[in-house]
Amino acid sequence: HNSYSKNSSLNSILEPPQSLFPSKGEFLRLITVLAIASAVALSCNYFLTFFTSTSKPFCDSNLDPIDSFSDSCEPCPSNGECYEGNLECIYGYRRHGKLCIEDRDIDETAKKLSESVEAGLCEAYAQVLCYGTGTVWVRENDIWNDLDRHNLMQNVGSDHTTYVYMKRRAMETIAKLLETRTNLHGLQEFKCPDALAEHYKPLTCRFRELVSKHSLIIMSICAGLIGCAVLFLKVRQRMYISARAEELYNQVCEMLEENALRSKNVDGEGESWVVASWLRDHLLLPRERKDPQLWKKVEELVQDDSRVDRYPKLVKGESKVVWEWQVEGSLSSSGRRKKGEGIELKPNESINTNINQSSRTLKTEPKALIF
């Protein structure tokens, strides 16, 4: 028992007390405090550095460049003028921290002015290239004076410094975009480049140049198209004449056959022949009578038909060519008739019963000849 109590007292002396180490909550609070302290220290250091650096004066612009890199002053930035530690940006630039950057409003206006001058010169030169009239080279003084009348310059106001600076910036941009030369009087002149002037040519001028450049190809294509069109129309006309001639030929055969049969059935009182010209004028439309090829084709078809006789005959004292259907021993042509295209003649009427009937009026019923 004594030995046990001795060991217990010895262990209690060797083991550290529980209050020696922080608890979990205390440890988290310690971490939070350290993080806040670090953030505050970094912030203070940043602001200190910033204000310290900006508080440095600017080196004067007239100092030697080697001396301007001294730790006691800040180098004067480009486009700025420094005097007695202060920075002033030249006109057209504004201060941004330690730098001088371009004034966007002035820069944008100068850019629009230069674009306007460019468009005017290039359009004038494009007229020269297209039509031979216009201006090619323009003097710098003329452009400078033209800027005074530009609408954009009216918005500048009465600030003479801004006015002059804006014009100068516009002229600098123009000099970079256009071709320049010095004339005999020592004055600088400007001209739109040829490649740039191509974009300012009118559409009519471009079309004319395109046609002139490819005239042979265009003429060949047009000739080919015209030839194809003419050939197509001729083929179509021939097909129409051929089909129409066959249609008229069938009508002629039917009319001749029925006329011959009628004249035979009325005890020889009627005439079995028909004047060819009367058939032509009866069957052809007025516009078709102007084309002699159509009826000529019909005559060729009738001539090849052995059932039709063709001979001259004196009618009213004039020699006429008449056609007559051979009734005896011939085959009927009624089988050729198309539905709805039959020839109807009244039984009590006949064709050419005598010469006096030739003056009677032709009545045009669908494909029928009535005297």
Side-chain angles (χ1 to χ4, degrees):
H1 179 74
N2 293 331
S3 60
Y4 177 76
S5 60
K6 289 179 180 180
N7 291 333
S8 298
S9 59
L10 181 61
N11 290 334
S12 61
I13 294 172
L14 296 176
E15 291 180 0
Q18 294 182 353
S19 60
L20 180 62
F21 297 99
S23 62
K24 184 176 181 180
E26 293 175 345
F27 183 75
L28 292 176
R29 285 193 296 269
L30 178 62
I31 295 298
T32 304
V33 171
L34 292 176
I36 295 173
S38 300
V40 171
L42 291 175
S43 300
C44 293
N45 184 51
Y46 172 78
F47 284 109
L48 182 62
T49 303
F50 177 78
F51 286 111
T52 302
S53 59
T54 55
S55 62
K56 284 184 180 182
F58 287 96
C59 302
D60 290 349
S61 301
N62 55 3
L63 289 179
D64 188 18
I66 298 177
D67 298 334
S68 63
F69 289 100
S70 174
D71 294 336
S72 60
C73 61
E74 291 287 342
C76 190
S78 57
N79 303 315
E81 294 180 354
C82 301
Y83 179 71
E84 295 183 354
N86 296 322
L87 170 63
E88 290 186 5
C89 297
I90 61 176
Y91 202 82
Y93 293 83
R94 55 187 176 85
R95 182 171 177 176
H96 183 74
K98 301 178 183 180
L99 303 176
C100 291
I101 61 176
E102 291 182 341
D103 192 327
R104 293 183 179 179
D105 295 336
I106 295 177
D107 184 65
E108 188 67 23
T109 304
K111 183 178 180 181
K112 291 180 179 180
L113 287 173
S114 63
E115 291 176 353
S116 177
V117 173
E118 173 193 328
L121 293 182
C122 290
E123 288 176 358
Y125 186 43
Q127 292 290 327
V128 176
L129 296 178
C130 291
Y131 310 110
T133 58
T135 305
V136 180
W137 291 94
V138 180
R139 293 183 302 177
E140 182 181 13
N141 293 340
D142 295 336
I143 298 177
W144 184 270
N145 296 330
D146 289 340
L147 291 177
D148 294 335
R149 296 185 290 270
H150 201 280
N151 295 331
L152 292 174
M153 299 303 295
Q154 306 300 325
N155 301 327
V156 176
S158 58
D159 189 350
H160 182 71
T161 306
T162 305
Y163 196 87
V164 174
Y165 175 78
M166 201 172 294
K167 291 172 60 176
R168 183 171 59 82
R169 285 292 304 275
M171 293 300 298
E172 291 176 356
T173 306
I174 292 170
K176 296 177 182 178
L177 295 175
L178 306 181
E179 296 181 6
T180 59
R181 75 174 184 181
T182 303
N183 60 15
L184 299 177
H185 303 285
L187 299 176
Q188 193 173 22
E189 295 180 336
F190 296 94
K191 168 184 168 295
C192 179
D194 293 348
L196 189 59
E198 292 291 331
H199 300 285
Y200 289 88
K201 288 183 178 180
L203 291 178
T204 54
C205 178
R206 296 184 186 182
F207 179 76
R208 188 182 64 181
E209 290 181 349
L210 180 64
V211 172
S212 177
K213 183 178 180 180
H214 304 284
S215 58
L216 295 178
I217 298 176
I218 294 176
M219 291 178 61
S220 301
I221 294 175
C222 291
L225 293 176
I226 294 174
C228 292
V230 172
L231 180 62
F232 172 77
L233 293 176
K234 286 186 176 181
V235 172
R236 184 179 179 182
Q237 182 69 11
R238 289 181 181 178
M239 292 177 62
Y240 168 76
I241 291 177
S242 179
R244 179 62 175 155
E246 290 183 3
E247 180 183 359
L248 294 172
Y249 162 71
N250 291 331
Q251 295 180 22
V252 168
C253 291
E254 292 170 0
M255 295 174 69
L256 290 177
E257 181 182 6
E258 292 199 6
N259 185 68
L261 292 175
R262 186 180 298 106
S263 65
K264 183 178 180 181
N265 294 334
V266 294
D267 299 332
E269 294 181 1
E271 297 293 346
S272 60
W273 49 266
V274 178
V275 178
S277 59
W278 295 354
L279 283 174
R280 178 195 64 195
D281 295 340
H282 176 71
L283 294 176
L284 293 182
L285 299 174
R287 67 174 182 272
E288 293 177 334
R289 296 171 190 170
K290 299 179 181 179
D291 186 3
Q293 296 296 327
L294 179 58
W295 189 249
K296 184 177 180 181
K297 185 69 174 178
V298 176
E299 290 178 341
E300 292 176 356
L301 294 175
V302 173
Q303 186 176 358
D304 294 337
D305 195 334
S306 60
R307 298 170 299 177
V308 181
D309 280 347
R310 300 159 302 282
Y311 56 88
K313 189 174 182 63
L314 191 64
V315 180
K316 279 187 159 185
E318 295 183 7
S319 179
K320 302 284 186 180
V321 177
V322 298
W323 293 347
E324 183 178 359
W325 185 265
Q326 299 299 309
V327 180
E328 300 295 338
S330 67
L331 298 177
S332 175
S333 64
S334 60
R336 296 186 184 184
R337 297 180 187 177
K338 299 180 180 179
K339 294 181 179 181
E341 295 183 356
I343 306 299
E344 295 183 1
L345 295 176
K346 295 181 180 180
N348 58 350
E349 295 180 349
S350 62
I351 301 177
N352 299 335
T353 56
N354 52 51
I355 298 177
N356 294 330
Q357 291 177 339
S358 63
S359 61
R360 293 185 180 182
T361 306
L362 294 175
K363 297 182 180 180
T364 56
E365 293 183 0
K367 302 184 181 177
L369 178 63
I370 300 175
F371 292 90

